[in-house]
Amino acid sequence: MYFEENVLKTQMLLWNNIQKNIFSMKGGKNMREKLYDRIAILEQNGVISAKAATYSRHVVDLILAENKDVPQDKLEMFITHFALAVRREEKREAVEPMDKALLESIRNETVFVKAKQLQECILTETGIKFSKAELEFLILHLCNLLS
């Protein structure tokens, strides 16, 4: 029990440090550079692997190539979720399935078809095999990104 509590405290301190580094990034950089910095901080602090970081940078480029006007805060949220989703898949960590009512409401979003196309593009480009539950959460974040 003592060991688990210390591990949890260490993880919380690490996460607070990461958040502090992310939020203190200096201005003057474009969105791509800021997102790359965010990914680098996650990688340098051992939150994600080098492979997850590479995939995440590639996804940033894919999204910005197609959607230059995407809001930075929404892209930051998506790319953070994406990077952590890759980590969960690497570690074979299970994700609880999404509530069926929420999933149905996502399918009724006006941007759902575009989000689904973007998701397919990301999966094709990266070759990552996400679980069904993880795919549902990715589409949720993509709908938020595109709305």
Side-chain angles (χ1 to χ4, degrees):
M1 184 72 156
Y2 177 76
F3 177 75
E4 289 85 5
E5 288 175 5
N6 281 337
V7 168
L8 183 59
K9 286 178 185 175
T10 302
Q11 288 174 338
M12 289 176 67
L13 287 171
L14 176 61
W15 185 249
N16 288 336
N17 185 39
I18 291 167
Q19 289 299 317
K20 202 180 309 174
N21 286 336
I22 288 171
F23 291 123
S24 68
M25 287 190 274
K26 302 287 186 216
K29 293 185 176 186
N30 66 34
M31 187 181 339
R32 181 177 176 271
E33 291 170 329
K34 288 179 182 179
L35 289 161
Y36 273 32
D37 286 349
R38 173 181 285 263
I39 294 163
I41 290 167
L42 292 170
E43 181 184 8
Q44 290 163 1
N45 285 282
V47 176
I48 62 172
S49 67
K51 187 176 183 179
T54 300
Y55 284 147
S56 298
R57 284 188 294 271
H58 185 62
V59 169
V60 166
D61 293 341
L62 283 172
I63 292 172
L64 290 177
E66 295 295 320
N67 304 285
K68 294 183 186 346
D69 296 328
V70 68
Q72 182 174 331
D73 61 330
K74 289 183 176 185
L75 186 50
E76 287 172 351
M77 185 185 316
F78 171 75
I79 208 64
T80 301
H81 176 83
F82 177 82
L84 295 174
V86 173
R87 183 198 69 191
R88 285 189 293 274
E89 288 299 319
E90 288 174 336
K91 294 180 181 247
R92 293 182 170 43
E93 295 174 353
V95 175
E96 290 294 318
M98 185 180 294
D99 177 74
K100 289 182 186 202
L102 178 58
L103 184 57
E104 190 57 35
S105 71
I106 292 166
R107 288 186 178 130
N108 292 325
E109 289 286 326
T110 57
V111 296
F112 180 79
V113 172
K114 187 174 181 182
K116 191 71 174 164
Q117 290 169 342
L118 182 54
Q119 183 184 54
E120 289 302 318
C121 178
I122 290 168
L123 297 175
T124 300
E125 288 280 328
T126 61
I128 301 171
K129 304 289 187 227
F130 287 109
S131 69
K132 181 181 177 189
E134 200 69 73
L135 289 171
E136 293 170 350
F137 283 101
L138 286 173
I139 200 75
L140 167 74
H141 285 282
L142 285 169
C143 283
N144 179 52
L145 176 69
L146 299 173
S147 64

